[in-house]
Amino acid sequence: MAAPFDTPVLGDVDERRIPALKVGAMAESKPYVATAAHQEPLGFPGVLEDGWEKKAIGRMGELLGKYRSLQVFMDICVKCGACTDKCQYFLGTGDPKNMPVARADLFRSVYRRYFTTAGKLTPGLVGARDMTKEVLDEWFNYFHQCSQCRRCSVFCPSGIDTAEISMAARDIMDTIGQGQKYCNEIIGKVHKVGNNLGLPAPALLNTLEGLEEDILDETGVPVKLPIDVHGAEVLLVTPSADFFAEPHVLGLIGYAKVFHAAGVSWTLSTLASEAGNFGMFIGNYEQMRKISMRIRDAALALGVKRIIFGECGHAWRVAYSFLNTLAGPWDFLDPRYPVPQHILEFTNDLITRKGIKLDKSGNDGMVLTVHDSCNVARGARMGDRPGGQFTIPRDVIRASVPKLIDMHPDTICEKTFCCGGGGGVLTDELLDLRLKGALPRMEAIKEVADRDQVNFVAMICAICKAQFTKVLPYYGFKMSMAGGVHQLVSTAIVLGNEQ
Amino acid sequence: MTTFFAILFTVATLTLVIGLGLKIAQYARTPAPLKIPTTPAPLTKPGVAFRLAREAVVFESLFKANKPLWIFAALFHFGLAVVLVRHVRYFQTEVGPLVALVQPLALPAGLAMLIGLLLLLGRRLVLERIRYITGRSDILMLVLLLGIAVTGMFMTKHVHTDVVAVKAFFTGLLGFEIRSLPGDPLLVVHLLLVAILMIVFPFSKLLHAPGLFFSPTRNQTDTPREHRHLCDWAAKLEDKRS
C-alpha cells in the first residue's frame, strides 16, 4: 500500500510534542468541489455565479443574525493561543492555518472587513480582508480540514467553538455554489434513497435476512433483525454503515442480540435507515431539520413507543442535542423514556437491572482501550449525569471484556482526539489529511499497546470505525483492532436457554 | 487641559457605555437556535452560573489548556481587578470599605499587572505559534495597557501627582462640574491612554469580557431531551410546514 505521502512518525504522548510551523504545508489539501448534480437537489446553486462575493457577505450577515454563537465568537477571541496546540490536524500537519484560532481568523478577517467599524476604517491594523476568490479557496481548503470535533472549545477561555465557524463557512460556500461533493452527494442520497450509503430497501431486507441466518448458524438462536414492523416497541435508528461492512455490522448483530435477550420488540425502518445527519457538517439548519423529520415520520408511521440510536458519534450529537428542537415534540412516545435514547443507555440499563447476562470469557484474551468518539464526548451526553457519555460505555465494556486500560488522560474523555475522519472529511481525496490528523490518537494507542499489550480499540461511531480501519495499517496496527462496543457485547452476551 | 480632559472623558465614557450596551444588546438579541454546550455541561441554571463564574474568576478552561499562559493571564487580570477597585476612590467622596480593603494590595497588584503584561507580550514575540496569530492590534493593545500601568506605577512610586485634585476633578465631572486637573505630564499620558482604552473597548477584542457570558458553549444547560429548545426563527419554519 504505497501512499503518495508520508505517514508521520509516532512520538511519545507524554512529551506533548508541538510541531514547528510548516507554513502552507496543507494549502493544497482540498476535497472535490460539488457539481451541479450534487448542489441543485439540495436547493444550492450549481456553480459559483457572478456576484457571489456580495451573496456570500449577505449570507454571512444572515447567519450572524441567526446564530449567537457565530456573532459572539467573531468578536471575543483575544488571540491568546490556548487552542493553538489542541487540534489534531495542526499536531499532525504543522500547518499554522490548522491552529483553531488561525482557522477561525480566515472567517473572522472577512467578518471584520464588512461588519465591524475597526475593519472598515483600519483593515490593515486588525487584519481585515476583502472577500475574494483567493480567500474563498482558502476557506474551502481549510474549513474542510476541520472535523468539527470541538476539542478547541474545551480549552478556549471564552468557549469559542471552531466547529460553529466552520459550519457557517460551509453553509456560506454551499449558498454561493461552492459546496463539497462528499457531503452534498451523501445528503442527496439520504433524500432520494433513505440513507448515506444509498442502500435501497430491497438490498437492506436482503442484508438483514442474511445476518439472521448467520446468527442462527453461529449461535443456534433465531435472533431477528426486523424492519418496518408496525407496532414494535422500539424504533432503532442506526448508521447505514451498520448494514454494510465489518466491523460495523458486528455492532448491529450486537444490538439485535441485546433486544432479543431482553425480550423487547424492535424494528428498523426503511424510511429512517440512517442515523447520521450530514446536515450538521454543512452547517445547514434546514437540511439538518429535513433529515431529522424522517425519523419523526418513521416513528409515527410505525407507531413505536421509543426511539433508540445505534453507535454513531455525530448522529448522537444531532439526536441527543438537536432532535427535540428539530423534529420534536415527542409527546406521542412513551414519556417514561428519554427521547431519543442511546443503545448504550439501553444496554447499560439492562446490565444494571440484570435484564441480560454477559459472559466475559466470550472475549478472552482481549485487552481493550476506549477511543471516546468526539461528538459524543463534547457534544452530547448519556444517562442522567454529566459525563455519563464516558462512564456508560466503559461500564458496558467492563461487563463484556476481561481487561480495560485507558489511554493517556490528555487523550480521552472531554480531551479526546478526533479519529481524524469526522465532520465530513471521511473521503478518499483527503486521505493525507486523515492520516496526519490521526497521529495524536495513534500515538496514544501505541503507548498502551506497547506498555499494556492493548489489542483492541473500542469506539462508538461509524465514522471512527471507518477511519480507524483505514489508517491503522499505515501506522503498523492491524485493521481488525478497531470496532464498536456492541461488537464486544455481541460476543459476551448469553442468549437465554435456547441452547 | 482641564476642559480637554473633561470633554475627552465624557466622550470616552459615553462611547464605552453606549458601545458596550449596544454590543450586549446585540448578543442578547441574537438567538441561539441549538443546544451547543461543550459537554460535560451542567444540568441546571445554578450549575451554569457556577461554570461561568469559574471561567470568569479562575479561568478554568485556560487552566486546562496552558499552565504558563494561565499564570501570565492571572497575574494581569487579578492585578488589574485590584487596581480598578482601588481607583474607585477617585470617584467616591467617602472611600468605601472594599476600596480600603484593597489599599495595601495596590502596589503588589500594580506590579503583578505589569509583570503579567510583559510576560504576555514576550510570549507573543518569542513563541513561533503565538507570533503567527498575533496581529498589529494585539501588540498595540498590550502596549496601551503597559503604558497605562507604567505611568500609573510611576505616579504611585516616584513622581507623585496631586491625587486630591484628581479626585476633585473626577467627582466634579460626575456632577457635571468642571474642577481643575493637575497638568503633570505622567498624569496627562496616563489619562489619555485610559480614555483611548475606554473608546476602543467596544470595538476590540476586549469584548471578551462581556462576551464570555453569552458564549453558548458555556452558558447553556445540558437539557435538550428534557426541554424543547426552540428559537423564534426556527419556530417559524414549523409554521410553514404544518
Side-chain angles (χ1 to χ4, degrees):
Chain A
M1 185 156 36
F5 35 77
D6 302 323
T7 306
V9 180
L10 296 181
D12 180 357
V13 197
D14 230 9
E15 258 176 46
R16 275 167 257 190
R17 179 182 56 163
I18 302 169
L21 299 191
K22 288 184 219 128
V23 176
M26 296 300 280
E28 301 303 317
S29 168
K30 56 169 181 267
Y32 297 135
V33 177
T35 64
H38 309 125
Q39 288 277 99
E40 281 161 3
L42 310 191
F44 301 137
V47 289
L48 211 54
E49 282 158 5
D50 273 349
W52 64 266
E53 295 92 342
K54 208 169 156 228
K55 213 169 151 193
I57 300 308
R59 182 65 180 165
M60 188 185 279
E62 254 175 71
L63 294 177
L64 285 163
K66 280 177 141 182
Y67 291 88
R68 182 186 294 162
S69 53
L70 187 65
Q71 176 61 58
V72 171
F73 296 164
M74 281 300 106
D75 284 341
I76 65 174
C77 176
V78 296
K79 312 288 165 71
C80 74
C83 61
T84 51
D85 56 348
K86 302 300 185 282
C87 174
Q88 61 274 353
Y89 294 113
F90 171 69
L91 294 174
T93 67
D95 188 319
K97 284 181 183 149
N98 277 329
M99 300 190 293
V101 45
R103 193 187 314 282
D105 262 11
L106 301 175
F107 192 106
R108 194 176 280 120
S109 56
V110 178
Y111 161 76
R112 287 217 170 118
R113 185 74 183 102
Y114 297 92
F115 296 95
T116 69
T117 317
K120 283 175 192 163
L121 297 177
T122 56
L125 190 68
V126 295
R129 301 189 297 177
D130 286 324
M131 189 74 199
T132 62
K133 184 68 169 73
E134 212 179 14
V135 170
L136 176 64
D137 287 339
E138 200 175 34
W139 275 27
F140 190 75
N141 295 9
Y142 284 101
F143 284 117
H144 290 106
Q145 295 184 42
C146 166
S147 63
Q148 307 175 338
C149 82
R150 317 188 87 203
R151 192 167 194 264
C152 47
S153 87
V154 170
F155 298 101
C156 176
S158 303
I160 297 173
D161 177 9
T162 311
E164 291 291 307
I165 299 167
S166 77
M167 284 172 195
R170 292 182 191 184
D171 179 293
I172 292 170
M173 291 190 282
D174 275 327
T175 311
I176 60 174
Q178 186 161 324
Q180 185 217 25
K181 173 177 176 260
Y182 172 71
C183 282
N184 291 359
E185 187 177 29
I186 282 177
I187 294 173
K189 278 189 212 161
V190 169
H191 293 320
K192 217 168 148 193
V193 190
N195 53 62
N196 289 1
L197 290 178
L199 300 169
L204 216 55
L205 266 58
N206 202 20
T207 305
L208 296 177
E209 271 174 32
L211 289 177
E212 286 178 353
E213 283 166 26
D214 291 350
I215 303 172
L216 186 63
D217 287 349
E218 204 182 305
T219 63
V221 181
V223 172
K224 296 289 163 205
L225 285 117
I227 188 157
D228 290 338
V229 175
H230 200 272
E233 162 100 5
V234 170
L235 168 65
L236 180 78
V237 186
T238 202
S240 55
D242 284 358
F243 306 120
F244 188 64
E246 287 202 11
H248 310 261
V249 76
L250 302 174
L252 177 64
I253 293 172
Y255 315 148
K257 288 183 181 172
V258 171
F259 284 120
H260 177 92
V264 173
S265 72
W266 67 291
T267 183
L268 292 155
S269 155
T270 45
L271 186 62
S273 54
E274 175 62 60
N277 191 328
F278 277 32
M280 179 167 75
F281 296 168
I282 64 167
N284 189 286
Y285 190 95
E286 284 80 1
Q287 281 299 330
M288 197 155 65
R289 178 159 182 275
K290 206 172 155 195
I291 296 168
S292 296
M293 288 306 285
R294 291 156 44 253
I295 295 166
R296 183 185 182 86
D297 295 343
L300 281 167
L302 295 171
V304 296
K305 298 193 184 68
R306 306 163 66 176
I307 298 174
I308 295 183
F309 269 70
E311 296 178 7
C312 190
H314 299 76
W316 183 238
R317 181 176 182 204
V318 178
Y320 171 84
S321 292
F322 306 158
L323 203 65
N324 200 5
T325 298
L326 296 167
W330 298 103
D331 40 16
F332 59 91
L333 297 173
D334 189 335
R336 288 174 301 167
Y337 304 99
V339 184
Q341 256 186 313
H342 196 282
I343 186 72
L344 276 162
E345 294 179 308
F346 179 72
T347 301
N348 187 54
D349 185 48
L350 284 167
I351 295 172
T352 328
R353 292 192 290 109
K354 307 214 186 304
I356 54 170
K357 261 192 281 178
L358 296 168
D359 178 6
K360 291 184 194 184
S361 65
N363 289 316
D364 252 351
M366 221 176 215
V367 185
L368 191 129
T369 195
V370 191
H371 162 74
D372 291 286
S373 298
C374 60
N375 270 250
V376 179
R378 292 183 284 260
R381 174 163 57 99
M382 288 179 203
D384 50 13
R385 270 189 295 258
Q389 66 270 42
F390 311 130
T391 54
I392 288 175
R394 283 171 175 76
D395 288 346
V396 172
I397 289 167
R398 279 197 197 92
S400 313
V401 290
K403 200 169 175 189
L404 169 67
I405 306 272
D406 259 320
M407 286 180 275
H408 194 285
D410 286 349
T411 73
I412 58 167
C413 298
E414 68 169 354
K415 294 180 183 169
T416 189
F417 281 105
C418 162
C419 62
V425 308
L426 191 78
T427 173
D428 281 345
E429 72 268 24
L430 294 178
L431 189 56
D432 182 22
L433 174 82
R434 287 166 51 190
L435 200 56
K436 288 170 178 160
L439 175 77
R441 174 46 79 223
M442 294 298 141
E443 285 179 344
I445 293 177
K446 187 169 191 304
E447 186 185 51
V448 288
D450 290 349
R451 192 187 61 208
D452 306 295
Q453 285 75 51
V454 163
N455 54 23
F456 194 87
V457 189
M459 52 205 68
I460 39 177
C461 174
I463 286 179
C464 295
K465 291 172 196 169
Q467 160 78 352
F468 271 83
T469 42
K470 185 91 180 182
V471 303
L472 278 168
Y474 285 97
Y475 287 98
F477 298 108
K478 269 195 268 169
M479 188 195 269
S480 58
M481 190 174 167
V485 174
H486 273 79
Q487 174 180 340
L488 309 163
V489 173
S490 177
T491 38
I493 195 165
V494 180
L495 287 176
N497 49 11
E498 282 96 337
Q499 271 185 309
Chain B
M1 182 65 76
T2 300
T3 325
F4 170 73
F5 272 105
I7 295 170
L8 181 64
F9 270 94
T10 312
V11 171
T13 308
L14 286 175
T15 313
L16 178 68
V17 172
I18 296 172
L20 215 51
L22 286 175
K23 265 296 170 188
I24 290 173
Q26 180 192 36
Y27 297 156
R29 215 178 35 236
T30 311
L34 294 165
K35 280 281 203 175
I36 59 164
T38 304
T39 57
L43 309 187
T44 60
K45 281 187 177 158
V48 164
F50 187 49
R51 182 185 202 176
L52 283 171
R54 293 197 310 270
E55 290 292 3
V57 180
V58 296
F59 315 150
E60 183 181 45
S61 295
L62 188 60
F63 187 77
K64 284 181 202 167
N66 191 320
K67 303 290 186 285
L69 176 58
W70 181 83
I71 293 170
F72 302 170
L75 277 173
F76 164 63
H77 283 95
F78 289 131
L80 176 66
V82 172
V83 169
L84 278 178
V85 170
R86 188 174 176 259
H87 275 68
V88 171
R89 68 193 181 129
Y90 294 108
F91 302 91
Q92 292 175 320
T93 25
E94 297 274 316
V95 169
L98 187 64
V99 181
L101 189 75
V102 300
Q103 187 65 27
L105 290 174
L107 207 61
L111 222 52
M113 186 180 155
L114 192 63
I115 293 168
L117 283 168
L118 286 171
L119 289 167
L120 289 170
L121 183 62
R123 184 173 164 275
R124 285 207 180 274
L125 302 174
V126 172
L127 286 182
E128 191 192 19
R129 287 186 341 271
I130 313 304
R131 202 164 58 224
Y132 182 89
I133 58 165
T134 297
R136 269 181 275 179
S137 54
D138 300 309
I139 300 282
L140 280 177
M141 191 62 75
L142 284 172
V143 170
L144 179 63
L145 287 163
L146 270 169
I148 294 170
V150 168
T151 49
M153 294 279 292
F154 251 87
M155 280 186 285
T156 317
K157 281 285 284 176
H158 304 292
V159 195
H160 298 288
T161 193
D162 183 354
V163 288
V164 178
V166 175
K167 182 179 184 143
F169 171 76
F170 280 106
T171 47
L173 211 54
L174 285 176
F176 300 104
E177 182 189 326
I178 294 182
R179 297 180 194 148
S180 106
L181 183 73
D184 306 328
L186 272 178
L187 180 69
V188 168
V189 175
H190 187 72
L191 293 182
L192 201 60
L193 295 179
V194 169
I196 293 174
L197 185 73
M198 289 165 73
I199 290 169
V200 298
F201 199 111
F203 305 101
S204 70
K205 65 177 186 177
L206 300 183
L207 285 171
H208 71 286
L212 166 68
F213 299 95
F214 292 93
S215 203
T217 59
R218 297 290 183 266
N219 78 359
Q220 291 185 334
T221 52
D222 177 19
T223 51
R225 291 194 290 194
E226 292 81 356
H227 304 288
R228 186 156 189 241
H229 176 90
L230 196 67
C231 76
D232 288 345
W233 67 257
K236 283 195 189 113
L237 293 176
E238 302 202 343
D239 297 343
K240 243 190 282 174
R241 190 188 159 89
S242 51

